[in-house]
Structures are given as C-alpha cells and as structure tokens.
C-alpha cells in the first residue's frame, strides 16, 4: 500500500452488510476531521446484536451532536477507512519494519495481535492502540450499519 499513490485503505469484512452510501459516509465523515485519522463504521459484533465494535460504546450524552462521528478508543476493522498518513506515521517506528527475505521490499507490521499488559488484544484493537500512541485518533460513526450477514 505504501508503495502506491493510494490515499486511503478501506477494510470491509465479508459478512458486513453495507450500501455504497455507507462507504461514501465514511469518506465524507473522515474528510471533516483533521488528518491523519481512522474512521470506522458502527456494527454489531458477531453473535452479539447489542454489542458494538466500537470501544467504548458511543456515549449517550453525545447523541444530539450535529456530527455523525465520535472519538473512540478502539474500533473493529470490519468497516474501517484508514488515511494514508496514519500508516506513514506508524512506519516511522522502525520496530514495525521487516524484510521477508534479504533484499525484499520492506514491509511493516501494523496489525499485530498479541498479549499486551497481560491481556490478549486482537489486531484491529492493537492497531487502534498503536495509532493512539502516535497521536492519531480513531473516530466511530454514530449511525449503525445494517445487521451482519449470518455465517455458518
């Protein structure tokens, strides 16, 4: 990705139900906040129709705000738009760089699941934690996406 001229990286899980308008909403919403930024759609976790992939949940106190975005500490990558500047910022951390084979193009480990402070953290939340540590905010859409597709 960083070897291209692309400006954003969009993740959409195969079981997320969305319309083109939802992607447009992510793009328009992300353009209303300072870059670099991460924006994520609000969707229910698998098998938990009332538990959202944003952490912490959208505060009820901000429900009447005119913006459809709220800052969140973590979000799932199931419907996430990442500004290129987020990845270039994280790439400055040389501990994330690697070469698969000597002479290969450099890569970066931006999505590293693992044990952090004695707790397992999935790759999406670890990415949000690393972004926040680099002073990059993650924003969550207030408006939820339709329910997920059932999976086997």
């Amino acid at each position: 990705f960083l070897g291209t001229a692309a400006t954003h990286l969009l993740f959409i899980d195969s079981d997320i139900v969305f319309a083109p308008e939802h992607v447009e909403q992510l793009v328009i919403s992300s353009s209303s906040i300072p870059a670099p930024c991460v924006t994520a759609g609000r969707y229910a976790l698998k098998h938990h129709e009332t538990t959202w992939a944003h952490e912490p949940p959208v505060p009820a106190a901000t429900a009447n705000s005119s913006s459809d975005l709220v800052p969140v500490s973590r979000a799932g990558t199931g419907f996430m738009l990442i500004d290129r500047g987020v990845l270039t910022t994280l790439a400055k951390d040389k501990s994330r760089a690697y070469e698969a084979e000597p002479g290969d193009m450099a890569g970066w480990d931006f999505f590293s699941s693992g044990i952090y402070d004695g707790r397992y953290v999935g790759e999406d939340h670890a990415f949000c934690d690393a972004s926040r540590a680099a002073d990059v905010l993650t924003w969550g859409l207030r408006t939820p996406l339709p329910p997920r597709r059932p999976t086997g």
Side-chain angles (χ1 to χ4, degrees):
F1 175 82
L2 291 179
T4 73
T7 60
H8 291 81
L9 180 62
L10 176 64
F11 286 101
I12 304 175
D13 282 0
S14 63
D15 61 343
I16 296 293
V17 176
F18 70 98
E21 297 80 28
H22 295 120
V23 175
E24 186 176 298
Q25 182 183 21
L26 269 185
V27 172
I28 291 170
S29 295
S30 72
S31 68
S32 70
I33 54 179
C37 65
V38 177
T39 51
R42 185 173 181 215
Y43 58 92
L45 295 175
K46 292 178 187 173
H47 313 296
H48 299 280
E49 293 86 28
T50 60
T51 304
W52 302 102
H54 290 165
E55 191 179 299
V58 176
T62 62
N64 294 326
S65 172
S66 61
S67 173
D68 194 36
L69 287 174
V70 293
V72 295
S73 60
R74 292 173 164 171
T77 53
F79 198 75
M80 179 180 278
L81 182 67
I82 302 170
D83 180 282
R84 176 188 192 81
V86 175
L87 301 178
T88 58
T89 297
L90 293 178
K92 293 174 186 173
D93 176 358
K94 301 301 180 200
S95 70
R96 296 182 174 281
Y98 68 90
E99 288 182 6
E101 295 290 330
D104 279 356
M105 185 173 84
W108 294 270
D109 185 7
F110 297 127
F111 300 91
S112 218
S113 61
I115 307 300
Y116 299 93
D117 296 324
R119 295 193 64 180
Y120 175 78
V121 178
E123 73 284 347
D124 44 6
H125 287 185
F127 172 76
C128 291
D129 292 348
S131 297
R132 190 173 55 258
D135 295 323
V136 173
L137 292 178
T138 298
W139 297 84
L141 290 175
R142 203 184 300 275
T143 306
L145 293 168
R148 296 171 84 118
R149 287 186 186 95
T151 58

